[in-house]
Amino acid sequence: MTKYNIMITETLQLVVEVIAENQTEAEEIVKDNWSNSKYILDADNFTGVQFKTVSENM
């Protein structure tokens, strides 16, 4: 038997609406709000999962 290390990547997504002067400012506002825990993503925001073998241990 061989041991494998499998990486599990879960994807969470949330669309938020902000008012800003431009796209860069809008992204900064959302980034800052996320950093300050204004947006908490959880299982309700789940959109998918991927499995990938990252190494094989012989």
Side-chain angles (χ1 to χ4, degrees):
M1 290 289 206
T2 304
K3 291 183 182 180
Y4 295 90
N5 293 319
I6 309 297
M7 179 183 352
I8 303 169
T9 303
E10 294 184 333
T11 304
L12 306 177
Q13 292 182 333
L14 176 66
V15 175
V16 296
E17 184 176 279
V18 295
I19 297 172
E21 293 292 324
N22 55 53
Q23 179 179 341
T24 301
E25 181 185 5
E27 289 177 2
E28 283 299 315
I29 291 169
V30 173
K31 182 179 177 181
D32 290 344
N33 286 343
W34 177 81
S35 294
N36 292 320
S37 299
K38 183 171 180 180
Y39 314 121
I40 304 296
L41 284 73
D42 60 19
D44 291 335
N45 304 107
F46 178 81
T47 62
V49 64
Q50 295 179 336
F51 301 91
K52 179 180 181 182
T53 302
V54 291
S55 68
E56 179 180 328
N57 300 322
M58 295 184 171

